[in-house]
């Protein structure tokens, strides 16, 4: 089989074809895919109707699987695989309360957040339910120099749910909350593989900026977020059944959409890959 790579747009993403991900891949192909992933940050493989064990095998091409954090969504027979299902979603005024409905990077309050997340589409509504990605490497690169200098050494405390979060997170018991990590992450991280600097933002979890007055810190976060979520940094993935999509949580933010008929069924398998502790892009300065 010949591996074909089609960049998705001028900013990010690539569609890869000519592979059957239900089968083990040789070392050279695995290396090639990892190089493509470091470059494009979002890889799309169409027509891969994978079973949970095949999905795990395919995702492991890119790293080591990480335990699901919200255990109630884990598949009983394959606990490293989560189910992203409309049947699990609460409704408010008839609208589904979709998980991940504002741009974010997964579990950023962890000391070692997942480096990647991957989904396989099992069932998809007839319209809507796209997943959007924005490239936070490009967004950082385009900032004015004065702003780059201002944020170079700044950090934000990432918590379970920010006091100004635009969305609600799972409600946890006092015992569960006590076990949840809070981590001061750099506003600008250095990618552990490519070395490329990127903004590291998650308005659902960022509790201001360390060393800044509360309102000033949140205003800075909001300005960076507004900049990074512009359409010029975006790839919007329209799902088809059998799509395997993997993204790099250190290079993109992503968001889900609740714009589909809540009576239609949407179901995807989801895995995450273990990541490293994040370092500032300017750690040596
Ligand atoms: C997620 O944020 O991981 C879910 C994305 C989606 O369901 O579109």
């Amino acid at each position: 089989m010949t591996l074909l790579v089609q960049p998705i747009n001028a900013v990010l993403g690539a569609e890869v074809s000519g592979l059957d991900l239900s089968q083990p891949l040789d070392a050279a192909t695995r290396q090639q895919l990892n190089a493509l992933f470091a470059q494009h940050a979002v890889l799309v493989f169409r027509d891969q109707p994978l079973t949970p064990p095949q999905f795990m095998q395919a995702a492991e091409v890119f790293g080591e699987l990480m335990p699901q954090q919200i255990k109630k969504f884990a598949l009983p027979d394959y606990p490293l695989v989560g189910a992203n299902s409309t049947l699990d979603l609460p409704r408010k005024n008839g609208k589904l309360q979709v998980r991940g409905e504002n741009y974010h990077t997964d579990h950023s309050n962890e000391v070692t957040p997942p480096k990647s997340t991957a989904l396989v589409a099992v069932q998809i509504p007839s319209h809507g339910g796209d997943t959007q990605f924005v490239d936070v490497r490009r967004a950082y690169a385009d900032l004015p120099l004065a702003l780059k200098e201002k944020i170079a050494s700044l950090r934000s405390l990432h918590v379970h749910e920010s006091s100004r979060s635009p969305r609600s997170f799972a409600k946890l018991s006092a015992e569960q909350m006590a076990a949840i990590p809070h981590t001061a992450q750099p506003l600008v991280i250095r990618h552990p593989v490519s070395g490329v600097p990127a903004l590291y933002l998650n308005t659902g979890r960022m509790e201001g900026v360390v060393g800044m007055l509360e309102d000033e810190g949140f205003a800075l976060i909001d300005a960076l977020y507004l900049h990074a979520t512009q359409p010029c940094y975006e790839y919007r993935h329209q799902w088809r059944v059998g799509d395997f999509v993997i993204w790099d949580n250190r290079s993109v933010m992503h968001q889900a959409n609740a714009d589909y008929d809540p009576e239609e069924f949407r179901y995807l398998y989801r895995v995450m890959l273990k990541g490293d502790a994040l370092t500032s892009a300017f750690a040596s300065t």
Side-chain angles (χ1 to χ4, degrees):
M1 273 185 153
T2 311
L3 190 148
L4 296 171
V5 182
Q6 179 68 48
I8 286 173
N9 65 30
V11 180
L12 82 159
E15 189 168 322
V16 183
S17 54
L19 285 177
D20 177 358
L21 294 180
S22 71
Q23 300 302 314
L25 302 178
D26 61 46
T29 307
R30 296 162 77 96
Q31 201 177 1
Q32 197 177 355
L33 289 178
N34 275 285
L36 287 170
F37 191 42
Q39 181 187 352
H40 296 285
V42 180
L43 296 183
V44 174
F45 303 79
R46 302 281 192 184
D47 305 315
Q48 308 287 335
L50 304 176
T51 61
Q54 290 168 340
F55 179 34
M56 290 192 287
Q57 175 182 266
E60 278 173 332
V61 167
F62 300 93
E64 191 184 343
L65 295 175
M66 177 174 165
Q68 291 290 316
Q69 292 216 324
I70 311 177
K71 305 292 181 207
K72 66 179 174 181
F73 300 131
L75 301 186
D77 292 341
Y78 302 99
L80 291 174
V81 181
N84 194 339
S85 166
T86 38
L87 299 183
D88 294 324
L89 299 177
R91 294 184 191 205
K92 200 170 168 184
N93 304 324
K95 184 177 175 282
L96 287 175
Q97 303 298 289
V98 166
R99 286 189 277 145
E101 206 188 356
N102 82 307
Y103 274 114
H104 63 284
T105 178
D106 284 334
H107 302 305
S108 61
N109 59 310
E110 296 278 339
V111 177
T112 55
K115 70 173 194 173
S116 313
T117 307
L119 295 170
V120 162
V122 179
Q123 197 156 331
I124 290 299
S126 50
H127 300 284
D130 301 346
T131 306
Q132 290 165 272
F133 302 92
V134 283
D135 191 325
V136 282
R137 304 166 300 181
R138 301 276 180 138
Y140 172 74
D142 288 349
L143 288 177
L145 187 57
L147 187 49
K148 282 183 177 164
E149 287 173 356
K150 176 176 172 174
I151 65 176
S153 59
L154 295 179
R155 288 178 179 261
S156 171
L157 188 67
H158 289 239
V159 300
H160 174 63
E161 179 172 343
S162 167
S163 58
R164 300 198 191 182
S165 174
R167 65 183 171 116
S168 297
F169 287 78
K171 298 295 168 233
L172 303 178
S173 66
E175 195 186 342
Q176 287 170 318
M177 277 301 279
I180 291 275
H182 294 168
T183 307
Q185 305 285 20
L187 285 188
V188 188
I189 58 166
R190 180 168 301 288
H191 194 280
V193 179
S194 66
V196 175
L199 288 171
Y200 194 70
L201 302 171
N202 187 352
T203 48
R205 298 200 193 266
M206 294 170 86
E207 198 57 68
V209 175
V210 178
M212 287 180 101
L213 293 173
E214 188 178 327
D215 283 349
E216 196 190 347
F218 277 109
L220 176 59
I221 291 168
D222 288 346
L224 292 171
Y225 187 81
L226 200 64
H227 165 74
T229 56
Q230 294 177 85
C232 61
Y233 301 121
E234 183 198 86
Y235 163 55
R236 186 177 185 117
H237 184 71
Q238 293 182 302
W239 290 97
R240 289 188 221 150
V241 169
D243 285 352
F244 171 107
V245 176
I246 185 164
W247 64 89
D248 181 339
N249 283 311
R250 291 88 47 104
S251 300
V252 300
M253 289 193 287
H254 64 283
Q255 76 172 357
N257 283 281
D259 58 348
Y260 52 92
D261 179 349
E263 302 309 325
E264 288 199 56
F265 189 43
R266 184 176 187 272
Y267 187 95
L268 302 94
Y269 297 133
R270 180 174 183 272
V271 294
M272 294 178 294
L273 301 180
K274 287 182 184 172
D276 309 297
L278 300 169
T279 55
S280 164
F282 308 97
S284 59
T285 57

